[in-house]
Amino acid sequence: MNIFVLLYNSGTDKEGIHSIELKGRTIVLMFEDKDDATRYCGLLEAQDFPLPTVEMINIEEIKDFCIKLDYECKLVEKNFVPKTAEDRLLISPPQKNLEVENWEEDKNSNKDNIDINTIKENLEKLL
């Protein structure tokens, strides 16, 4: 099965995949529908985040990638309707994002800097 992911600097040595941090876990979003992935890119761009490209890839490749890096992957199905505040993050990016240029460096330090109140405030803003 092919899905769509969001990549930064696709095809370069600085290539990165878009992910979100949730409860101390790195979540890679996989979109079943290309239009949903494209819409998510537009929401990222609206937050002044660099625009990723939508790339089609085999779901097993992403699952293997996530297992190797101890990431989780979440499939955003076509016509997905969120039921919880956490589900909303699958269709609308959080307010705070890591800088693309420093994603490798920030990956570990960012976990220590976000407290539970910041996460709560960001989730409440989504409502």
Side-chain angles (χ1 to χ4, degrees):
M1 175 178 164
N2 287 326
I3 48 88
F4 298 93
V5 294
L6 311 181
L7 296 180
Y8 296 99
N9 304 314
S10 182
T12 70
D13 60 343
K14 289 188 172 190
E15 186 174 74
I17 191 165
H18 180 77
S19 63
I20 59 175
E21 295 291 321
L22 186 62
K23 296 182 179 179
R25 298 288 300 157
T26 301
I27 313 290
V28 173
L29 301 178
M30 306 179 301
F31 295 88
E32 185 176 50
D33 184 60
K34 185 176 183 178
D35 289 339
D36 289 340
T38 302
R39 185 187 60 75
Y40 197 97
C41 286
L43 293 171
L44 287 169
E45 186 178 35
Q47 291 182 7
D48 295 327
F49 200 75
L51 186 64
T53 58
V54 176
E55 301 284 337
M56 184 170 51
I57 193 165
N58 185 282
I59 193 169
E60 295 305 319
E61 287 183 51
I62 292 298
K63 286 181 178 180
D64 290 343
F65 169 81
C66 289
I67 289 169
K68 287 178 187 172
L69 295 173
D70 193 30
Y71 291 171
E72 291 181 29
C73 52
K74 297 270 187 191
L75 180 63
V76 180
E77 297 175 346
K78 187 175 182 170
N79 301 319
F80 175 77
V81 177
K83 294 177 178 67
T84 67
E86 289 178 6
D87 283 354
R88 285 191 184 108
L89 294 175
L90 302 179
I91 60 168
S92 179
Q95 294 296 313
K96 182 175 179 175
N97 295 302
L98 298 178
E99 293 297 323
V100 171
E101 293 80 22
N102 301 321
W103 66 270
E104 289 178 341
E105 296 167 14
D106 290 343
K107 182 174 68 174
N108 294 325
S109 65
N110 194 40
K111 290 179 185 176
D112 298 332
N113 294 335
I114 297 178
D115 65 4
I116 192 70
N117 290 329
T118 303
I119 294 169
K120 182 180 175 185
E121 288 171 11
N122 288 338
L123 289 173
E124 287 173 351
K125 289 177 187 176
L126 293 173
L127 300 174

